[in-house]
Amino acid sequence: ATSKLSRDHHIVRSSSGLITITGGKWTTYRKMGEDAISAAAHAAQLRAKPSDTLNLKLHGWTEQIPTGHESVYGSDLPQLQAISEGDPGLNSLLHPALPYRKREVVWAARREHARTTEDVLARRTRALFLNASAAIESAPEVSRLLAREHGRDEQRRARDLENFLRIANAYKFSA
């Protein structure tokens, strides 16, 4: 079981001098990198120096922590909100049962290279996993917004929607 695997990381130096890092977890990647670089520097007999990434802020970092669903956009939140300034309709929810706004679809297309309705509703927003029925109901609007953003014709938009619906229907619960 994966729960029994070690979450610690280990640095190994082979007889040829190859430095290998094993184990670890996503949340400690910076410390893992620092330890690997330190081991390599030690092996090469380089002088020790503090990590350059110790105070490096990741994209999206902000000192003012936003609240609400869109807080996940961090420092990009004002840019996301600006999308709906030119088109107030983009400020509306995709579906009343979901926290996502239409502007998030546009953002995903413009800034995150989202190309399909499935990409937006399954990977960018996770709507398909939160509420498959609501995701299916919002899919026509998502495909319309994506088609507009990417300059697609009606045939390609319809094919994208059809592909999503075929996949999404498997996520619906039947009682």
Side-chain angles (χ1 to χ4, degrees):
T2 57
S3 62
K4 297 198 185 287
L5 296 175
S6 172
R7 306 287 264 168
D8 296 332
H9 67 276
H10 303 280
I11 308 291
V12 179
R13 181 174 178 219
S14 71
S15 59
S16 69
L18 177 68
I19 303 293
T20 303
I21 186 165
T22 63
K25 54 186 178 177
W26 286 110
T27 56
T28 61
Y29 73 92
R30 199 208 62 78
K31 176 67 172 146
M32 292 167 59
E34 181 182 6
D35 290 351
I37 294 299
S38 294
H42 179 75
Q45 298 180 340
L46 300 174
R47 66 176 174 79
K49 70 175 211 158
S51 169
D52 291 337
T53 65
L54 188 59
N55 297 308
L56 181 68
K57 306 294 188 243
L58 296 176
H59 177 84
W61 180 89
T62 179
E63 204 164 292
Q64 296 177 326
I65 311 267
T67 58
H69 154 70
E70 291 180 334
S71 66
V72 298
Y73 292 92
S75 64
D76 288 332
L77 183 57
Q79 293 171 319
L80 172 72
Q81 292 168 332
I83 288 175
S84 54
E85 287 174 8
D87 184 351
L90 294 176
N91 194 41
S92 59
L93 292 172
L94 279 174
H95 190 279
L98 296 169
Y100 311 110
R101 298 187 182 282
K102 294 177 183 180
R103 65 183 173 209
E104 293 178 79
V105 177
V106 174
W107 177 271
R110 291 180 186 173
R111 301 290 297 270
E112 298 175 351
H113 306 288
R115 296 292 179 255
T116 65
T117 300
E118 178 192 6
D119 193 13
V120 170
L121 291 173
R123 288 178 285 284
R124 310 305 168 142
T125 65
R126 313 299 282 171
L128 179 60
F129 309 118
L130 294 173
N131 186 329
S133 295
I136 288 168
E137 290 174 25
S138 63
E141 179 63 6
V142 171
S143 71
R144 185 190 69 74
L145 290 166
L146 286 173
R148 185 182 79 183
E149 285 299 308
H150 296 306
R152 294 181 181 153
D153 61 24
E154 178 57 26
Q155 185 178 17
R156 185 151 179 215
R157 186 206 65 76
R159 192 169 53 246
D160 172 54
L161 178 59
E162 181 182 316
N163 288 339
F164 173 75
L165 294 175
R166 186 175 54 256
I167 292 164
N169 279 312
Y171 285 85
K172 286 175 64 175
F173 290 109
S174 56

